[in-house]
Amino acid sequence: MLRFLETVLITVVFGLLFTWLRVPLSWMLGPLAGVLLWTGFTRRQLSFPLWLRNVGLVLLGYAMGLAFTADSARQIVTQLPWMLLATVLTVGFSLLMAGLLTRFTGIDAASSAIGSIPGGLSQMVVLAEEVQGADQTVVAFLQTIRLLTVIFVVPFLAVHSLSNGPGADLSTSSPASASSASSIFGEPYTWVLLAGFVLAAALLSVRLKLPTPWFLGPLAAAALLTVSGYPPPHLPSPMILAAQWCLGVYLGLGIKLTSLAGWRRLLPLSVISGLFIVGFSLALSFWFSSMHPMSVATAFLGTSPGGMTEMGVTATTVHADVSLVVAYQMFRILFILFVVPYGLRWAFRARSTRPENR
């Protein structure tokens, strides 16, 4: 209990510090950095229960599922082939960069691949637990550097170079419709039913052995309700921050920088890899905007390897098509979370069974 209280104190202080410094995802990266620095300099052991990590995954999965509106679903249907093409090209280019990282740094291929694929910091680190041979420390390091690179570079380019001025915001009608449909959740018993439905979806995902089940189950449950015309209520901001805090602490405890001997050599190559992936997305956006009636900013934010929330907020700022950006980001996330893990498991299982690797 004392170690847990020490963990809470240290990570909350760093969360507040990163918030004051206006660091993106401050309540995930702040606690993560706090754990790393505190354990690295003091050599003290901190404690954090696994069930709190799962609570954080449930809350974030639910919140992300709310963005899957009927409008974004229609966008996915109409541009499904192009979303699939963009996702496959992005994943393929990320794996190419992962291969170069493996060649020049010597880290194992599984860690490099999972660390380079733009599927989200928390989801990819959790996935690393499920792929044989993957090192969570390397995966978290690569995903953190990629995430920071994308969060700082993509909005800067979108705001200062690709902004197309005032334009239509297709999300303007969403709040009213959501408020009307959410009236069914006004009674206390409906909240109990909603919580039970989300929890049942998470447990079913665990039973089916889906990748990151505590995240995918609630995401699917919230998305199903939203698309059906009965969007559940949004979570209060403190709950989202608490979920980010849970994951940040858990990820920080899973990273052992002392075991990553070549991190000084890995850092600049990770940044370069992230910049190359952003550059690839920018080139892809010019091609997509020439093939479809969408702005370069919309295409860039839709294909960029960033988070759906961050790219959606940036889309609003530059007057891009928010629903289309969300649709592309959601498709990439779902594709990576549902398809890529099975492909990676198969590839590295087959690789480990080769005679020369026995």
Side-chain angles (χ1 to χ4, degrees):
M1 178 60 68
L2 290 177
R3 288 181 178 177
F4 173 70
L5 293 177
E6 181 180 355
T7 303
V8 172
L9 177 61
I10 296 301
T11 54
V12 167
V13 168
F14 272 84
L16 293 172
L17 175 62
F18 273 48
T19 300
W20 180 67
L21 295 174
R22 298 184 178 181
V23 176
L25 295 176
S26 58
W27 282 99
M28 180 179 292
L29 298 180
L32 191 156
V35 169
L36 289 178
L37 293 174
W38 185 255
T39 56
F41 284 105
T42 66
R43 304 297 180 182
R44 295 177 60 86
Q45 292 185 351
L46 299 178
S47 175
F48 195 73
L50 179 63
W51 67 266
L52 270 180
R53 189 285 305 262
N54 293 336
V55 169
L57 285 174
V58 168
L59 294 177
L60 289 180
Y62 171 84
M64 186 172 292
L66 297 179
F68 196 86
T69 64
D71 190 20
S72 62
R74 286 191 293 269
Q75 294 283 2
I76 287 181
V77 172
T78 57
Q79 296 204 31
L80 183 60
W82 290 93
M83 293 179 185
L84 177 61
L85 177 61
T87 300
V88 170
L89 290 176
T90 301
V91 171
F93 187 81
S94 299
L95 291 176
L96 174 63
M97 299 307 300
L100 294 176
L101 278 176
T102 298
R103 179 177 179 181
F104 288 107
T105 64
I107 61 177
D108 63 278
S111 301
S112 181
I114 300 175
S116 300
I117 293 175
L121 171 63
S122 56
Q123 291 77 43
M124 290 297 101
V125 174
V126 174
L127 174 62
E129 298 178 352
E130 306 171 6
V131 176
Q132 184 177 3
D135 187 335
Q136 281 185 281
T137 301
V138 175
V139 170
F141 185 86
L142 292 176
Q143 287 288 345
T144 299
I145 298 302
R146 179 193 60 78
L147 179 65
L148 290 174
T149 303
V150 171
I151 285 178
F152 281 109
V153 174
V154 171
F156 178 85
L157 290 176
V159 171
H160 297 286
S161 301
L162 304 177
S163 178
N164 55 341
D169 184 355
L170 300 183
S171 66
T172 53
S173 62
S174 298
S177 60
S179 175
S180 175
S182 296
S183 60
I184 64 171
F185 294 100
E187 299 296 331
Y189 76 92
T190 59
W191 283 84
V192 176
L193 292 176
L194 174 62
F197 180 61
V198 172
L199 182 59
L203 293 175
L204 178 62
S205 298
V206 173
R207 185 68 178 271
L208 295 176
K209 296 183 179 180
L210 296 178
T212 58
W214 294 100
F215 174 80
L216 285 179
L219 185 151
L224 179 61
L225 289 173
T226 303
V227 174
S228 300
Y230 301 97
H234 288 262
L235 294 175
S237 180
M239 293 187 69
I240 298 296
L241 297 180
Q244 294 181 3
W245 172 78
C246 289
L247 290 177
V249 176
Y250 180 80
L251 297 177
L253 290 175
I255 299 174
K256 307 298 182 182
L257 289 180
T258 55
S259 64
L260 189 58
W263 72 269
R264 291 181 178 84
R265 184 181 180 187
L266 185 59
L267 176 59
L269 292 175
S270 301
V271 174
I272 293 173
S273 175
L275 291 175
F276 268 104
I277 294 176
V278 171
F280 178 79
S281 297
L282 182 59
L284 200 63
S285 67
F286 279 99
W287 179 35
F288 273 43
S289 65
S290 68
M291 301 295 293
H292 294 281
M294 67 171 71
S295 66
V296 176
T298 297
F300 182 47
L301 294 173
T303 59
S304 292
M308 184 178 62
T309 303
E310 291 79 11
M311 298 301 102
V313 171
T314 306
T316 304
T317 303
V318 301
H319 302 284
D321 189 332
V322 178
S323 62
L324 192 56
V325 169
V326 170
Y328 267 84
Q329 290 287 337
M330 176 65 73
F331 182 89
R332 191 191 77 248
I333 291 171
L334 292 177
F335 181 89
I336 289 175
L337 291 179
F338 278 108
V339 178
V340 170
Y342 297 105
L344 290 177
R345 288 171 185 162
W346 174 83
F348 290 112
R349 188 181 300 116
R351 185 172 180 267
S352 63
T353 57
R354 292 177 183 174
E356 63 269 21
N357 294 326
R358 292 178 179 177

